[in-house]
Amino acid sequence: MSTITRRRALGAAASAAVGIAAGRALTAPDRAEAATARPDAAAPETFDEIYLGRRIQGGPQGGGHHGGGHHGGHGGDYAVRVDGEELHVMRNADGTWISVINHYEPLATPRAVARAAVRELQGAPLVPLTLV
Amino acid sequence: MTVRKNQAQLTAAEKRSFVNAVLELKRTGRYDTFVTTHNAFIMSDTDDGDRVGHRSPSFLPWHRRYLLEFERALQAVDPTVALPYWDWTVDRTPRASLWAPDFLGGTGRARDGQVMDGPFARSANRWTVSVRVDGRDFLRRALGAGGRQLPTRVEVDAVLAMETYDMPPWNSASDGFRNHLEGWRGANLHNRVHVWVGGQMGTGVSPNDPVFWLHHAFIDKLWADWQARHPRSAYLPAAGTPNVVDLNDTMRPWNDVTPADMLDHTRHYTYDTAA
């Protein structure tokens, strides 16, 4: 329940901010981020930044703040959030990453996946999704 | 017997029947159950855990059964309808008749990716995206955005030439036909087409775009073409593989069908061309 409240609050703020950045989002894909990840990469870094007006965070999950949502579906141990809402991500065998927003296009790092999701969302809020 | 035809060869009446049957499944809520099922599998299939619908040998038989279920649902609305397939090596630009307003409608507008024409445009009020991962309820596409190119016939033929169906570790890192067709390795066929279409087709809820079925019907046909070229190559693995659907294991969510049951498509439908 608190998740929805937070999403609404942050989503509204993010929508206002992203309007300014939307043009850039469409024309500046991070090509460098698409480089192939090295195999057997170490655990990916923790990050927390504002990208195109939205807060993206990534790091090992397991903190008390995790709501037990859809992330459990694939047994991953790393969580990515966009404006506080969890973005479902998955690590491929070769160390590359995908998300539910870009599911067919592996990128090198979770941060690259989070940034790609922000560009693809064009200001829209993520919707919590449960496995049925 | 159902005959699956190249979408480019459909008559105006066949296009209309297909579109109307899809819209009827959407109206009754049946369509969205297919989207939900696909997303549940795409989020739970992992390279180092249980994997059934994607990134595994059962990618092909799983989608064959999934398409059969959808085609049967369409035929319950209109028995004359069959799934068409999209040969994206030939019809490879946004100007193809596939994307005309009398069929699937075109690409999305620049501002928000919204599809503005055709029967699946939000403004027609018959296609609200309900099973979604973000707040947008309209169909989106970005056909060929960023100069992306669809796979070529040469690239397809190189994958069809691979003799071995699939190989350990039976996931997105595998060599062999299945993973090259799926696209996690090599020239990238199936995955790249999802990305080329863009919008919902690039996401876990990709069946929200009706082109999903035409794309996968062609992937399914390429499996049949591969079988015809390699009659001595079998589905692999045969038995005893952890986390992976072996030849005679049942597949979720149906639990009454095995890859072995799905090897011969002619029990269910034929294609308009010889393999």
Side-chain angles (χ1 to χ4, degrees), chain A residues 26 73-74 88 90 92-93 98 100-106 120-122 124-127 129 131-132, chain B residues 38-40 42-43 45-47 55 111-112 132-136 140 148 191 194 201-204 206:
Chain A
L26 282 171
H74 63 79
H88 182 272
M90 184 182 294
N92 295 321
I98 54 175
V100 75
I101 298 283
N102 296 85
H103 204 92
Y104 303 92
E105 188 171 34
E120 180 65 23
L121 284 166
Q122 294 187 286
L126 279 176
V127 169
L129 196 67
L131 288 170
V132 176
Chain B
H38 186 270
N39 191 56
I42 215 164
M43 288 184 15
D45 295 325
T46 60
D47 277 337
R55 57 180 67 235
R111 175 156 66 81
D112 58 2
R132 57 187 194 247
V133 292
D134 61 59
R136 295 169 288 185
R140 293 178 294 112
R148 289 193 176 92
N191 282 354
H194 277 274
M201 265 292 273
T203 74
S206 45

mmCIF file of all heavy atoms in Angstrom, chain A residues 26 73-74 88 90 92-93 98 100-106 120-122 124-127 129 131-132, chain B residues 38-40 42-43 45-47 55 111-112 132-136 140 148 191 194 201-204 206:
data_model
loop_
_atom_site.group_PDB
_atom_site.id
_atom_site.type_symbol
_atom_site.label_atom_id
_atom_site.label_comp_id
_atom_site.label_asym_id
_atom_site.label_seq_id
_atom_site.Cartn_x
_atom_site.Cartn_y
_atom_site.Cartn_z
ATOM 1 N N LEU A 26 15.271 10.538 -26.489
ATOM 2 C CA LEU A 26 14.996 9.837 -27.732
ATOM 3 C C LEU A 26 16.196 9.830 -28.670
ATOM 4 O O LEU A 26 16.341 8.942 -29.495
ATOM 5 C CB LEU A 26 13.827 10.514 -28.460
ATOM 6 C CG LEU A 26 12.457 10.178 -27.890
ATOM 7 C CD1 LEU A 26 11.406 11.051 -28.524
ATOM 8 C CD2 LEU A 26 12.140 8.705 -28.115
ATOM 9 N N GLY A 73 10.441 -13.730 -8.660
ATOM 10 C CA GLY A 73 10.102 -14.653 -9.725
ATOM 11 C C GLY A 73 11.297 -15.387 -10.309
ATOM 12 O O GLY A 73 11.180 -16.517 -10.723
ATOM 13 N N HIS A 74 12.445 -14.770 -10.348
ATOM 14 C CA HIS A 74 13.584 -15.442 -10.961
ATOM 15 C C HIS A 74 14.722 -15.682 -9.987
ATOM 16 O O HIS A 74 15.803 -16.096 -10.391
ATOM 17 C CB HIS A 74 14.085 -14.656 -12.172
ATOM 18 C CG HIS A 74 14.600 -13.300 -11.808
ATOM 19 N ND1 HIS A 74 15.844 -13.108 -11.260
ATOM 20 C CD2 HIS A 74 14.030 -12.085 -11.893
ATOM 21 C CE1 HIS A 74 16.024 -11.814 -11.041
ATOM 22 N NE2 HIS A 74 14.947 -11.180 -11.403
ATOM 23 N N HIS A 88 11.928 -5.042 -12.897
ATOM 24 C CA HIS A 88 12.336 -6.447 -12.936
ATOM 25 C C HIS A 88 13.533 -6.601 -13.870
ATOM 26 O O HIS A 88 13.439 -6.289 -15.058
ATOM 27 C CB HIS A 88 11.180 -7.318 -13.420
ATOM 28 C CG HIS A 88 11.496 -8.772 -13.449
ATOM 29 N ND1 HIS A 88 12.070 -9.374 -14.540
ATOM 30 C CD2 HIS A 88 11.348 -9.743 -12.519
ATOM 31 C CE1 HIS A 88 12.248 -10.660 -14.276
ATOM 32 N NE2 HIS A 88 11.813 -10.905 -13.057
ATOM 33 N N MET A 90 17.134 -9.083 -14.988
ATOM 34 C CA MET A 90 17.631 -10.458 -15.036
ATOM 35 C C MET A 90 19.041 -10.460 -15.614
ATOM 36 O O MET A 90 19.336 -9.709 -16.543
ATOM 37 C CB MET A 90 16.704 -11.290 -15.928
ATOM 38 C CG MET A 90 17.051 -12.768 -15.982
ATOM 39 S SD MET A 90 15.942 -13.662 -17.108
ATOM 40 C CE MET A 90 14.375 -13.517 -16.262
ATOM 41 N N ASN A 92 21.954 -12.435 -17.612
ATOM 42 C CA ASN A 92 22.169 -13.535 -18.549
ATOM 43 C C ASN A 92 23.440 -14.304 -18.193
ATOM 44 O O ASN A 92 24.307 -13.805 -17.473
ATOM 45 C CB ASN A 92 22.287 -13.007 -19.981
ATOM 46 C CG ASN A 92 20.994 -12.386 -20.463
ATOM 47 O OD1 ASN A 92 19.903 -12.884 -20.176
ATOM 48 N ND2 ASN A 92 21.112 -11.280 -21.177
ATOM 49 N N ALA A 93 23.556 -15.500 -18.764
ATOM 50 C CA ALA A 93 24.701 -16.356 -18.456
ATOM 51 C C ALA A 93 26.032 -15.696 -18.817
ATOM 52 O O ALA A 93 27.051 -15.955 -18.188
ATOM 53 C CB ALA A 93 24.557 -17.692 -19.197
ATOM 54 N N ILE A 98 19.154 -7.736 -18.769
ATOM 55 C CA ILE A 98 17.950 -7.261 -19.445
ATOM 56 C C ILE A 98 16.949 -6.845 -18.370
ATOM 57 O O ILE A 98 17.133 -7.152 -17.197
ATOM 58 C CB ILE A 98 17.306 -8.350 -20.337
ATOM 59 C CG1 ILE A 98 17.048 -9.616 -19.516
ATOM 60 C CG2 ILE A 98 18.156 -8.631 -21.566
ATOM 61 C CD1 ILE A 98 16.302 -10.693 -20.269
ATOM 62 N N VAL A 100 12.423 -6.104 -17.763
ATOM 63 C CA VAL A 100 11.107 -6.394 -18.334
ATOM 64 C C VAL A 100 10.717 -5.337 -19.370
ATOM 65 O O VAL A 100 9.883 -5.583 -20.232
ATOM 66 C CB VAL A 100 10.046 -6.522 -17.218
ATOM 67 C CG1 VAL A 100 9.670 -5.158 -16.643
ATOM 68 C CG2 VAL A 100 8.812 -7.273 -17.703
ATOM 69 N N ILE A 101 11.362 -4.165 -19.322
ATOM 70 C CA ILE A 101 11.081 -3.106 -20.299
ATOM 71 C C ILE A 101 11.868 -3.323 -21.594
ATOM 72 O O ILE A 101 11.405 -2.967 -22.676
ATOM 73 C CB ILE A 101 11.451 -1.717 -19.706
ATOM 74 C CG1 ILE A 101 10.602 -1.432 -18.457
ATOM 75 C CG2 ILE A 101 11.301 -0.611 -20.739
ATOM 76 C CD1 ILE A 101 9.185 -1.023 -18.730
ATOM 77 N N ASN A 102 13.061 -3.864 -21.485
ATOM 78 C CA ASN A 102 13.880 -4.184 -22.668
ATOM 79 C C ASN A 102 14.290 -5.647 -22.548
ATOM 80 O O ASN A 102 15.398 -5.961 -22.143
ATOM 81 C CB ASN A 102 15.137 -3.308 -22.729
ATOM 82 C CG ASN A 102 14.796 -1.847 -22.908
ATOM 83 O OD1 ASN A 102 14.530 -1.149 -21.943
ATOM 84 N ND2 ASN A 102 14.786 -1.404 -24.152
ATOM 85 N N HIS A 103 13.351 -6.516 -22.886
ATOM 86 C CA HIS A 103 13.601 -7.916 -22.549
ATOM 87 C C HIS A 103 14.394 -8.685 -23.589
ATOM 88 O O HIS A 103 14.856 -9.791 -23.345
ATOM 89 C CB HIS A 103 12.298 -8.644 -22.259
ATOM 90 C CG HIS A 103 12.519 -9.843 -21.392
ATOM 91 N ND1 HIS A 103 12.444 -9.798 -20.025
ATOM 92 C CD2 HIS A 103 12.920 -11.091 -21.707
ATOM 93 C CE1 HIS A 103 12.771 -10.972 -19.537
ATOM 94 N NE2 HIS A 103 13.055 -11.783 -20.528
ATOM 95 N N TYR A 104 14.568 -8.126 -24.767
ATOM 96 C CA TYR A 104 15.198 -8.876 -25.852
ATOM 97 C C TYR A 104 16.514 -8.243 -26.299
ATOM 98 O O TYR A 104 17.011 -8.569 -27.363
ATOM 99 C CB TYR A 104 14.228 -8.976 -27.032
ATOM 100 C CG TYR A 104 12.903 -9.616 -26.675
ATOM 101 C CD1 TYR A 104 11.815 -8.856 -26.272
ATOM 102 C CD2 TYR A 104 12.738 -11.001 -26.750
ATOM 103 C CE1 TYR A 104 10.595 -9.446 -25.953
ATOM 104 C CE2 TYR A 104 11.527 -11.597 -26.435
ATOM 105 C CZ TYR A 104 10.461 -10.814 -26.041
ATOM 106 O OH TYR A 104 9.263 -11.406 -25.728
ATOM 107 N N GLU A 105 17.030 -7.302 -25.486
ATOM 108 C CA GLU A 105 18.220 -6.540 -25.883
ATOM 109 C C GLU A 105 19.188 -6.455 -24.700
ATOM 110 O O GLU A 105 19.138 -5.503 -23.914
ATOM 111 C CB GLU A 105 17.792 -5.133 -26.322
ATOM 112 C CG GLU A 105 18.903 -4.326 -26.933
ATOM 113 C CD GLU A 105 18.383 -3.030 -27.536
ATOM 114 O OE1 GLU A 105 17.428 -2.453 -26.985
ATOM 115 O OE2 GLU A 105 18.938 -2.611 -28.569
ATOM 116 N N PRO A 106 20.111 -7.422 -24.598
ATOM 117 C CA PRO A 106 21.038 -7.414 -23.461
ATOM 118 C C PRO A 106 21.947 -6.184 -23.461
ATOM 119 O O PRO A 106 22.429 -5.744 -24.509
ATOM 120 C CB PRO A 106 21.858 -8.696 -23.673
ATOM 121 C CG PRO A 106 21.001 -9.573 -24.524
ATOM 122 C CD PRO A 106 20.255 -8.631 -25.426
ATOM 123 N N GLU A 120 12.982 4.461 -22.421
ATOM 124 C CA GLU A 120 11.824 3.794 -23.008
ATOM 125 C C GLU A 120 10.525 4.247 -22.345
ATOM 126 O O GLU A 120 9.481 4.355 -23.002
ATOM 127 C CB GLU A 120 12.008 2.282 -22.881
ATOM 128 C CG GLU A 120 10.891 1.436 -23.445
ATOM 129 C CD GLU A 120 10.739 1.559 -24.956
ATOM 130 O OE1 GLU A 120 11.722 1.930 -25.619
ATOM 131 O OE2 GLU A 120 9.621 1.315 -25.453
ATOM 132 N N LEU A 121 10.563 4.520 -21.060
ATOM 133 C CA LEU A 121 9.349 4.895 -20.322
ATOM 134 C C LEU A 121 8.836 6.274 -20.722
ATOM 135 O O LEU A 121 7.643 6.555 -20.593
ATOM 136 C CB LEU A 121 9.620 4.863 -18.811
ATOM 137 C CG LEU A 121 9.680 3.461 -18.187
ATOM 138 C CD1 LEU A 121 10.295 3.520 -16.783
ATOM 139 C CD2 LEU A 121 8.293 2.829 -18.137
ATOM 140 N N GLN A 122 9.719 7.152 -21.189
ATOM 141 C CA GLN A 122 9.315 8.510 -21.587
ATOM 142 C C GLN A 122 8.444 9.178 -20.523
ATOM 143 O O GLN A 122 7.428 9.800 -20.831
ATOM 144 C CB GLN A 122 8.579 8.474 -22.925
ATOM 145 C CG GLN A 122 9.488 8.047 -24.081
ATOM 146 C CD GLN A 122 8.803 8.175 -25.432
ATOM 147 O OE1 GLN A 122 7.943 7.363 -25.756
ATOM 148 N NE2 GLN A 122 9.165 9.184 -26.201
ATOM 149 N N ALA A 124 6.632 7.756 -18.117
ATOM 150 C CA ALA A 124 5.557 6.948 -17.524
ATOM 151 C C ALA A 124 6.044 6.241 -16.264
ATOM 152 O O ALA A 124 7.200 5.845 -16.186
ATOM 153 C CB ALA A 124 5.070 5.909 -18.539
ATOM 154 N N PRO A 125 5.175 6.083 -15.273
ATOM 155 C CA PRO A 125 5.567 5.341 -14.071
ATOM 156 C C PRO A 125 5.587 3.842 -14.320
ATOM 157 O O PRO A 125 4.824 3.327 -15.134
ATOM 158 C CB PRO A 125 4.466 5.692 -13.068
ATOM 159 C CG PRO A 125 3.273 5.986 -13.913
ATOM 160 C CD PRO A 125 3.802 6.591 -15.203
ATOM 161 N N LEU A 126 6.487 3.156 -13.631
ATOM 162 C CA LEU A 126 6.452 1.694 -13.645
ATOM 163 C C LEU A 126 5.220 1.223 -12.881
ATOM 164 O O LEU A 126 4.779 1.871 -11.944
ATOM 165 C CB LEU A 126 7.692 1.119 -12.955
ATOM 166 C CG LEU A 126 8.987 1.038 -13.760
ATOM 167 C CD1 LEU A 126 10.098 0.521 -12.843
ATOM 168 C CD2 LEU A 126 8.821 0.134 -14.957
ATOM 169 N N VAL A 127 4.685 0.099 -13.309
ATOM 170 C CA VAL A 127 3.536 -0.488 -12.621
ATOM 171 C C VAL A 127 3.999 -1.759 -11.918
ATOM 172 O O VAL A 127 4.624 -2.606 -12.543
ATOM 173 C CB VAL A 127 2.420 -0.829 -13.631
ATOM 174 C CG1 VAL A 127 1.339 -1.670 -12.976
ATOM 175 C CG2 VAL A 127 1.824 0.452 -14.198
ATOM 176 N N LEU A 129 4.092 -5.348 -10.831
ATOM 177 C CA LEU A 129 3.523 -6.459 -11.593
ATOM 178 C C LEU A 129 3.729 -7.729 -10.787
ATOM 179 O O LEU A 129 4.802 -7.987 -10.292
ATOM 180 C CB LEU A 129 4.249 -6.559 -12.926
ATOM 181 C CG LEU A 129 3.604 -7.381 -14.016
ATOM 182 C CD1 LEU A 129 2.330 -6.712 -14.476
ATOM 183 C CD2 LEU A 129 4.557 -7.499 -15.180
ATOM 184 N N LEU A 131 3.483 -11.981 -10.616
ATOM 185 C CA LEU A 131 3.377 -13.201 -11.417
ATOM 186 C C LEU A 131 2.041 -13.861 -11.119
ATOM 187 O O LEU A 131 1.651 -13.987 -9.979
ATOM 188 C CB LEU A 131 4.513 -14.157 -11.058
ATOM 189 C CG LEU A 131 5.892 -13.735 -11.551
ATOM 190 C CD1 LEU A 131 6.957 -14.618 -10.931
ATOM 191 C CD2 LEU A 131 5.959 -13.833 -13.055
ATOM 192 N N VAL A 132 1.352 -14.260 -12.164
ATOM 193 C CA VAL A 132 0.050 -14.903 -11.981
ATOM 194 C C VAL A 132 0.204 -16.408 -12.102
ATOM 195 O O VAL A 132 0.889 -16.855 -12.991
ATOM 196 C CB VAL A 132 -0.950 -14.387 -13.025
ATOM 197 C CG1 VAL A 132 -2.266 -15.132 -12.896
ATOM 198 C CG2 VAL A 132 -1.154 -12.901 -12.835
ATOM 199 N N HIS B 38 2.457 -15.165 -21.025
ATOM 200 C CA HIS B 38 3.773 -14.950 -21.622
ATOM 201 C C HIS B 38 4.687 -14.196 -20.670
ATOM 202 O O HIS B 38 5.850 -14.555 -20.475
ATOM 203 C CB HIS B 38 3.639 -14.192 -22.941
ATOM 204 C CG HIS B 38 4.931 -14.062 -23.681
ATOM 205 N ND1 HIS B 38 5.789 -12.998 -23.506
ATOM 206 C CD2 HIS B 38 5.539 -14.887 -24.566
ATOM 207 C CE1 HIS B 38 6.854 -13.167 -24.274
ATOM 208 N NE2 HIS B 38 6.731 -14.298 -24.928
ATOM 209 N N ASN B 39 4.161 -13.152 -20.049
ATOM 210 C CA ASN B 39 5.010 -12.358 -19.174
ATOM 211 C C ASN B 39 5.450 -13.144 -17.943
ATOM 212 O O ASN B 39 6.593 -13.018 -17.494
ATOM 213 C CB ASN B 39 4.296 -11.080 -18.743
ATOM 214 C CG ASN B 39 5.239 -10.117 -18.059
ATOM 215 O OD1 ASN B 39 6.260 -9.732 -18.623
ATOM 216 N ND2 ASN B 39 4.945 -9.767 -16.808
ATOM 217 N N ALA B 40 4.557 -13.986 -17.431
ATOM 218 C CA ALA B 40 4.931 -14.787 -16.270
ATOM 219 C C ALA B 40 6.103 -15.696 -16.603
ATOM 220 O O ALA B 40 7.035 -15.855 -15.804
ATOM 221 C CB ALA B 40 3.737 -15.615 -15.796
ATOM 222 N N ILE B 42 8.320 -15.227 -19.140
ATOM 223 C CA ILE B 42 9.526 -14.499 -19.514
ATOM 224 C C ILE B 42 10.236 -13.954 -18.277
ATOM 225 O O ILE B 42 11.456 -13.830 -18.255
ATOM 226 C CB ILE B 42 9.197 -13.385 -20.531
ATOM 227 C CG1 ILE B 42 10.358 -13.251 -21.505
ATOM 228 C CG2 ILE B 42 8.905 -12.052 -19.863
ATOM 229 C CD1 ILE B 42 10.041 -12.494 -22.756
ATOM 230 N N MET B 43 9.465 -13.664 -17.216
ATOM 231 C CA MET B 43 10.091 -13.159 -15.995
ATOM 232 C C MET B 43 10.671 -14.281 -15.142
ATOM 233 O O MET B 43 11.560 -14.045 -14.335
ATOM 234 C CB MET B 43 9.096 -12.315 -15.198
ATOM 235 C CG MET B 43 8.844 -10.989 -15.876
ATOM 236 S SD MET B 43 7.775 -9.792 -15.054
ATOM 237 C CE MET B 43 7.624 -10.359 -13.414
ATOM 238 N N ASP B 45 11.700 -17.522 -16.435
ATOM 239 C CA ASP B 45 12.689 -18.363 -17.123
ATOM 240 C C ASP B 45 14.081 -17.764 -16.933
ATOM 241 O O ASP B 45 14.342 -16.655 -17.401
ATOM 242 C CB ASP B 45 12.395 -18.414 -18.635
ATOM 243 C CG ASP B 45 11.082 -19.095 -18.976
ATOM 244 O OD1 ASP B 45 10.718 -20.058 -18.284
ATOM 245 O OD2 ASP B 45 10.429 -18.666 -19.951
ATOM 246 N N THR B 46 14.973 -18.482 -16.257
ATOM 247 C CA THR B 46 16.319 -17.951 -16.023
ATOM 248 C C THR B 46 17.384 -18.945 -16.479
ATOM 249 O O THR B 46 17.159 -20.148 -16.504
ATOM 250 C CB THR B 46 16.554 -17.645 -14.531
ATOM 251 O OG1 THR B 46 16.389 -18.853 -13.776
ATOM 252 C CG2 THR B 46 15.584 -16.597 -14.032
ATOM 253 N N ASP B 47 18.555 -18.385 -16.796
ATOM 254 C CA ASP B 47 19.639 -19.216 -17.334
ATOM 255 C C ASP B 47 20.139 -20.269 -16.352
ATOM 256 O O ASP B 47 20.641 -21.312 -16.761
ATOM 257 C CB ASP B 47 20.818 -18.325 -17.756
ATOM 258 C CG ASP B 47 20.617 -17.748 -19.146
ATOM 259 O OD1 ASP B 47 19.851 -18.324 -19.926
ATOM 260 O OD2 ASP B 47 21.223 -16.705 -19.440
ATOM 261 N N ARG B 55 14.917 -18.968 -23.586
ATOM 262 C CA ARG B 55 16.323 -19.248 -23.237
ATOM 263 C C ARG B 55 16.543 -20.703 -22.856
ATOM 264 O O ARG B 55 17.261 -21.004 -21.892
ATOM 265 C CB ARG B 55 16.818 -18.275 -22.137
ATOM 266 C CG ARG B 55 16.009 -18.270 -20.859
ATOM 267 C CD ARG B 55 16.549 -17.274 -19.815
ATOM 268 N NE ARG B 55 16.393 -15.892 -20.238
ATOM 269 C CZ ARG B 55 17.391 -15.012 -20.308
ATOM 270 N NH1 ARG B 55 18.599 -15.350 -19.942
ATOM 271 N NH2 ARG B 55 17.152 -13.788 -20.711
ATOM 272 N N ARG B 111 6.247 11.596 -30.595
ATOM 273 C CA ARG B 111 6.142 12.169 -29.252
ATOM 274 C C ARG B 111 6.112 11.105 -28.164
ATOM 275 O O ARG B 111 6.830 11.187 -27.171
ATOM 276 C CB ARG B 111 4.888 13.045 -29.175
ATOM 277 C CG ARG B 111 4.602 13.598 -27.787
ATOM 278 C CD ARG B 111 3.756 14.860 -27.873
ATOM 279 N NE ARG B 111 2.424 14.596 -28.397
ATOM 280 C CZ ARG B 111 1.406 14.114 -27.646
ATOM 281 N NH1 ARG B 111 1.592 13.833 -26.385
ATOM 282 N NH2 ARG B 111 0.218 13.933 -28.189
ATOM 283 N N ASP B 112 5.244 10.091 -28.346
ATOM 284 C CA ASP B 112 5.083 9.113 -27.278
ATOM 285 C C ASP B 112 5.031 7.676 -27.773
ATOM 286 O O ASP B 112 4.705 6.772 -27.002
ATOM 287 C CB ASP B 112 3.837 9.423 -26.448
ATOM 288 C CG ASP B 112 2.564 9.442 -27.287
ATOM 289 O OD1 ASP B 112 2.659 9.174 -28.511
ATOM 290 O OD2 ASP B 112 1.480 9.710 -26.740
ATOM 291 N N ARG B 132 0.193 -4.597 -18.345
ATOM 292 C CA ARG B 132 1.279 -3.703 -18.725
ATOM 293 C C ARG B 132 2.293 -3.549 -17.604
ATOM 294 O O ARG B 132 2.002 -3.852 -16.455
ATOM 295 C CB ARG B 132 0.723 -2.350 -19.152
ATOM 296 C CG ARG B 132 -0.143 -1.671 -18.097
ATOM 297 C CD ARG B 132 -0.791 -0.422 -18.681
ATOM 298 N NE ARG B 132 -1.351 0.419 -17.650
ATOM 299 C CZ ARG B 132 -2.655 0.647 -17.502
ATOM 300 N NH1 ARG B 132 -3.513 0.081 -18.317
ATOM 301 N NH2 ARG B 132 -3.093 1.434 -16.543
ATOM 302 N N VAL B 133 3.456 -3.077 -17.985
ATOM 303 C CA VAL B 133 4.543 -2.920 -17.016
ATOM 304 C C VAL B 133 4.781 -1.453 -16.675
ATOM 305 O O VAL B 133 5.611 -1.144 -15.830
ATOM 306 C CB VAL B 133 5.852 -3.555 -17.540
ATOM 307 C CG1 VAL B 133 5.695 -5.072 -17.608
ATOM 308 C CG2 VAL B 133 6.238 -2.994 -18.899
ATOM 309 N N ASP B 134 4.066 -0.555 -17.354
ATOM 310 C CA ASP B 134 4.154 0.862 -17.006
ATOM 311 C C ASP B 134 2.774 1.496 -17.182
ATOM 312 O O ASP B 134 1.805 0.800 -17.507
ATOM 313 C CB ASP B 134 5.227 1.574 -17.846
ATOM 314 C CG ASP B 134 4.926 1.528 -19.319
ATOM 315 O OD1 ASP B 134 3.869 2.018 -19.741
ATOM 316 O OD2 ASP B 134 5.767 0.989 -20.083
ATOM 317 N N GLY B 135 2.695 2.793 -16.950
ATOM 318 C CA GLY B 135 1.395 3.443 -16.868
ATOM 319 C C GLY B 135 0.665 3.643 -18.184
ATOM 320 O O GLY B 135 -0.496 4.050 -18.184
ATOM 321 N N ARG B 136 1.306 3.337 -19.301
ATOM 322 C CA ARG B 136 0.711 3.664 -20.605
ATOM 323 C C ARG B 136 -0.238 2.569 -21.097
ATOM 324 O O ARG B 136 0.151 1.405 -21.137
ATOM 325 C CB ARG B 136 1.834 3.909 -21.623
ATOM 326 C CG ARG B 136 2.667 5.140 -21.270
ATOM 327 C CD ARG B 136 3.931 5.225 -22.103
ATOM 328 N NE ARG B 136 4.911 4.218 -21.701
ATOM 329 C CZ ARG B 136 6.137 4.138 -22.214
ATOM 330 N NH1 ARG B 136 6.526 4.998 -23.122
ATOM 331 N NH2 ARG B 136 6.958 3.201 -21.795
ATOM 332 N N ARG B 140 2.151 0.896 -28.516
ATOM 333 C CA ARG B 140 3.298 1.687 -28.989
ATOM 334 C C ARG B 140 4.155 0.851 -29.924
ATOM 335 O O ARG B 140 4.260 -0.369 -29.776
ATOM 336 C CB ARG B 140 4.174 2.128 -27.803
ATOM 337 C CG ARG B 140 3.533 3.117 -26.872
ATOM 338 C CD ARG B 140 4.460 3.444 -25.705
ATOM 339 N NE ARG B 140 4.675 2.292 -24.841
ATOM 340 C CZ ARG B 140 5.828 1.658 -24.712
ATOM 341 N NH1 ARG B 140 6.908 2.069 -25.369
ATOM 342 N NH2 ARG B 140 5.941 0.616 -23.927
ATOM 343 N N ARG B 148 17.855 0.521 -36.958
ATOM 344 C CA ARG B 148 17.979 -0.938 -36.796
ATOM 345 C C ARG B 148 17.482 -1.648 -38.056
ATOM 346 O O ARG B 148 16.569 -1.201 -38.728
ATOM 347 C CB ARG B 148 17.163 -1.394 -35.593
ATOM 348 C CG ARG B 148 17.754 -0.966 -34.262
ATOM 349 C CD ARG B 148 17.071 -1.722 -33.129
ATOM 350 N NE ARG B 148 17.679 -1.396 -31.851
ATOM 351 C CZ ARG B 148 17.257 -0.425 -31.058
ATOM 352 N NH1 ARG B 148 16.225 0.315 -31.417
ATOM 353 N NH2 ARG B 148 17.853 -0.194 -29.908
ATOM 354 N N ASN B 191 15.128 -12.371 -31.316
ATOM 355 C CA ASN B 191 15.192 -11.242 -30.374
ATOM 356 C C ASN B 191 15.258 -9.915 -31.113
ATOM 357 O O ASN B 191 14.625 -8.930 -30.722
ATOM 358 C CB ASN B 191 16.428 -11.368 -29.474
ATOM 359 C CG ASN B 191 16.253 -12.376 -28.357
ATOM 360 O OD1 ASN B 191 15.162 -12.918 -28.165
ATOM 361 N ND2 ASN B 191 17.332 -12.639 -27.635
ATOM 362 N N HIS B 194 11.904 -8.474 -32.198
ATOM 363 C CA HIS B 194 11.189 -7.813 -31.099
ATOM 364 C C HIS B 194 11.706 -6.383 -30.916
ATOM 365 O O HIS B 194 10.923 -5.449 -30.739
ATOM 366 C CB HIS B 194 11.379 -8.597 -29.800
ATOM 367 C CG HIS B 194 10.438 -9.755 -29.626
ATOM 368 N ND1 HIS B 194 9.191 -9.626 -29.087
ATOM 369 C CD2 HIS B 194 10.581 -11.067 -29.921
ATOM 370 C CE1 HIS B 194 8.583 -10.815 -29.044
ATOM 371 N NE2 HIS B 194 9.413 -11.714 -29.547
ATOM 372 N N MET B 201 6.384 -4.621 -27.942
ATOM 373 C CA MET B 201 7.070 -5.805 -28.485
ATOM 374 C C MET B 201 8.475 -5.989 -27.906
ATOM 375 O O MET B 201 9.033 -7.082 -27.960
ATOM 376 C CB MET B 201 7.144 -5.738 -30.009
ATOM 377 C CG MET B 201 6.018 -6.487 -30.719
ATOM 378 S SD MET B 201 6.081 -8.293 -30.525
ATOM 379 C CE MET B 201 7.176 -8.720 -31.912
ATOM 380 N N GLY B 202 9.052 -4.932 -27.359
ATOM 381 C CA GLY B 202 10.377 -5.050 -26.763
ATOM 382 C C GLY B 202 10.351 -5.465 -25.298
ATOM 383 O O GLY B 202 11.401 -5.617 -24.688
ATOM 384 N N THR B 203 9.155 -5.650 -24.755
ATOM 385 C CA THR B 203 9.001 -5.887 -23.320
ATOM 386 C C THR B 203 8.529 -7.308 -23.029
ATOM 387 O O THR B 203 8.234 -8.084 -23.942
ATOM 388 C CB THR B 203 7.959 -4.917 -22.719
ATOM 389 O OG1 THR B 203 6.644 -5.328 -23.115
ATOM 390 C CG2 THR B 203 8.201 -3.484 -23.203
ATOM 391 N N GLY B 204 8.394 -7.611 -21.760
ATOM 392 C CA GLY B 204 7.875 -8.910 -21.350
ATOM 393 C C GLY B 204 6.412 -9.115 -21.709
ATOM 394 O O GLY B 204 5.938 -10.240 -21.768
ATOM 395 N N SER B 206 5.072 -8.519 -24.583
ATOM 396 C CA SER B 206 5.094 -8.346 -26.041
ATOM 397 C C SER B 206 3.839 -8.832 -26.768
ATOM 398 O O SER B 206 3.505 -8.276 -27.824
ATOM 399 C CB SER B 206 6.342 -9.001 -26.633
ATOM 400 O OG SER B 206 6.558 -10.277 -26.095
#
